[in-house]
Amino acid sequence: MASLPISFLLTLCLFVIPSLSSDSDPLQDFCVGDLKASPSINGFPCKSSVSAADFFFSGLAVPLNTSNRNGVAVAAANVLTFPGLNTLGLSMNNVEFAPGGVNPPHSHPRATEAGVVIEGSVFVGFLTTNNTLFSKVIHAGEMFVVPRGLVHFQWNVGKGKARLITSFNSQLPGSAVLPTTLFGSMPEIPNAVLTKTFRTDDATVNNLKSKFAV
C-alpha cells in the first residue's frame, strides 16, 4: 500500500486540530465585547476602552424565582450578559430548582456542559445518539458532565430546593429546549409532521401546542 504524501497529512492535521476545541482560540489577552456593535462571525468586536468592571460579574449570586410550571430558573453568565467572556470560550449558569422542579430535556449545540451540585439532590441524565440513557442522582459537592450536543435534563428529587452551577466551553453555548422547540416554534411545525412523528392525532398535538405557545 502506497504511503500518503506528507503534504496531504499536514493539510489533514490543519483541519482536524481546530475541531478538537469549541470556540476559536483568542488572538489577544482579552476582547471585552462591544454589544452595541454588530456581531462578527464569532463573537463581538472589542471595546475600545475597558476597565476592571468588565472582568467581574455578580449575576450568578442573585436569588432566582422558580415559581413557574417547570419549577426551575436559570441565570446565565455568557457573552450577552458578561461581555468580558467574549472570545474566551467559556460561560456559566446558575440553575435553581423548586422541590420537584425539572430542567426539561434540552441540548447545547455549541458546548460540552460540566456542573456541580451546590445544594440538594438532583437526578441528572443525558441520552446518547443510540438512545442510551446515562443517569444518576448526585448530591452537594458532586459533579457531572454532558458531552456536547447531547439531549439532557435535571430533576430535583430532594425534599427542598436544589442548585447547580454549570460551565460550558463556549461563550454562547445555545440551548434547544425540546418541548418548546417542537411545540412552540414560530412558525409552527405542521401538525402532519408532529402527528406522524409522535404517532398521535391532531387534538393531542394542538393541546400540546397550546401549552407552549409564545
Side-chain angles (χ1 to χ4, degrees):
M1 180 178 176
S3 60
L4 293 172
I6 295 296
S7 60
F8 173 81
L9 294 175
L10 290 174
T11 301
L12 182 63
C13 288
L14 290 175
F15 281 101
V16 171
I17 292 173
S19 70
L20 299 178
S21 60
S22 184
D23 293 357
S24 300
D25 289 334
L27 300 178
Q28 62 283 311
D29 287 346
F30 56 82
C31 174
V32 177
D34 182 356
L35 302 188
K36 296 180 180 179
S38 298
S40 62
I41 293 175
N42 183 33
F44 291 86
C46 306
K47 285 176 61 176
S48 58
S49 178
V50 301
S51 68
D54 289 310
F55 302 100
F56 298 90
F57 181 73
S58 59
L60 300 186
V62 178
L64 301 179
N65 181 4
T66 58
S67 58
N68 53 63
R69 289 187 175 184
N70 290 328
V72 65
V74 179
N78 56 44
V79 68
L80 299 180
T81 59
F82 185 13
L85 295 174
N86 192 46
T87 76
L88 299 182
L90 73 153
S91 56
M92 300 182 75
N93 282 350
N94 174 34
V95 188
E96 297 186 10
F97 300 81
V102 171
N103 195 6
H106 62 283
S107 67
H108 303 291
R110 296 186 289 273
T112 291
E113 175 179 350
V116 61
V117 178
I118 304 300
E119 179 182 2
S121 299
V122 182
F123 181 80
V124 177
F126 72 86
L127 293 144
T128 67
T129 54
N130 66 2
N131 298 322
T132 300
L133 173 65
F134 290 95
S135 62
K136 185 180 180 180
V137 176
I138 57 176
H139 311 281
E142 296 185 303
M143 187 177 175
F144 67 89
V145 64
V146 177
R148 176 179 174 173
L150 295 187
V151 173
H152 58 287
F153 59 87
Q154 296 107 16
W155 172 31
N156 180 9
V157 295
K159 295 182 179 178
K161 64 181 182 178
R163 182 185 180 206
L164 305 174
I165 293 293
T166 57
S167 61
F168 307 89
N169 63 332
S170 172
Q171 65 184 24
L172 195 62
S175 182
V177 183
L178 268 62
T180 306
T181 298
L182 292 170
F183 299 105
S185 67
M186 290 298 292
E188 295 181 355
I189 298 175
N191 277 19
V193 174
L194 295 173
T195 55
K196 192 77 169 180
T197 300
F198 291 100
R199 302 169 190 174
T200 187
D201 53 28
D202 277 333
T204 301
V205 168
N206 288 333
N207 181 46
L208 287 169
K209 284 185 175 181
S210 70
K211 297 178 185 298
F212 294 98
V214 177

